[in-house]
Amino acid sequence: MNHSRRAGQERGYRSSARARELGDALTQVREKAELTADSLAKSLSWSPSKISRMESGKRGSSEMDVAIYAVKCGAPRPELERLRQLARETDAEYRLQAHGRDLPDNLRSLIRLENTADAIINYDLVSIPGLLQTEDYVRALLGMSKQMSEGQFEPRVLARLS
């Protein structure tokens, strides 16, 4: 790899888990507002590629850009604050994010990260990797947990299978 290409990668052409989660959240806000990426870019006087890079996590997004983007999409105040907090965090500070009541926060974040990963490496002598698990296996595995109520069981089984 030549030096100029390596420098380009260090400037943000490779996305991090935090940047992908922020990008996914921005995309959801835009889609909820029923805006296309092009129409949002035009209304903000930004290039369509800036919107695309923010949403894909392949561009560092300042807290100010995230706030402008979210406000233009009509994001409610709590969502705006969540997005700003995510933009403020560094990759080193990034932790699993809150996502609602149906699934535990850490499970929702892990699902999002798994869906956007380039590769998943798993080594475990005792359990079957997630993508190879059958419904019966998932139910038996989760059934051994003493940490969830009955109401949490089905949503976790369905999330695991999807």
Side-chain angles (χ1 to χ4, degrees):
M1 174 183 298
N2 68 35
H3 177 69
S4 63
R5 185 169 178 187
R6 184 177 21 251
Q9 286 178 340
E10 291 168 3
R11 282 193 300 259
Y13 294 103
R14 299 184 74 201
S15 65
S16 66
R18 182 201 56 81
R20 288 190 303 269
E21 180 159 351
L22 175 60
D24 184 57
L26 290 172
T27 302
Q28 288 177 18
V29 165
R30 178 181 53 77
E31 289 174 348
K32 187 173 182 180
E34 299 181 354
L35 294 170
T36 66
D38 286 338
S39 65
L40 179 60
K42 187 175 183 177
S43 70
L44 292 171
S45 299
W46 290 353
S47 70
S49 64
K50 178 175 180 173
I51 300 291
S52 175
R53 288 190 313 267
M54 286 176 73
E55 290 181 354
S56 67
K58 293 185 178 177
R59 175 186 195 285
S61 298
S62 71
E63 184 181 350
M64 182 63 74
D65 281 351
V66 167
I68 291 168
Y69 179 113
V71 167
K72 192 66 170 183
C73 292
R77 182 106 179 144
E79 181 67 6
L80 172 61
E81 292 307 318
R82 186 180 80 81
L83 293 170
R84 289 181 57 220
Q85 174 61 35
L86 195 53
R88 264 193 304 272
E89 289 180 356
T90 65
D91 291 334
E93 296 170 328
Y94 176 71
R95 297 292 182 264
L96 299 174
Q97 302 299 310
H99 292 287
R101 296 185 183 125
D102 294 339
L103 295 173
D105 297 342
N106 58 351
L107 183 55
R108 296 277 317 262
S109 288
L110 290 173
I111 290 168
R112 184 169 296 173
L113 297 175
E114 185 177 78
N115 286 335
T116 60
D118 293 328
I120 298 174
I121 299 171
N122 184 37
Y123 181 79
D124 191 339
L125 294 173
V126 181
S127 65
I128 297 172
L131 294 175
L132 302 176
Q133 294 176 2
T134 65
E135 183 175 350
D136 289 338
Y137 182 86
V138 169
R139 287 183 179 284
L141 190 65
L142 293 177
M144 291 186 287
S145 174
K146 306 291 184 214
Q147 299 178 354
M148 72 178 95
S149 69
E150 273 188 46
Q152 295 173 324
F153 186 78
E154 272 312 304
R156 288 190 188 192
V157 168
L158 295 174
R160 189 84 169 249
L161 294 173
S162 69

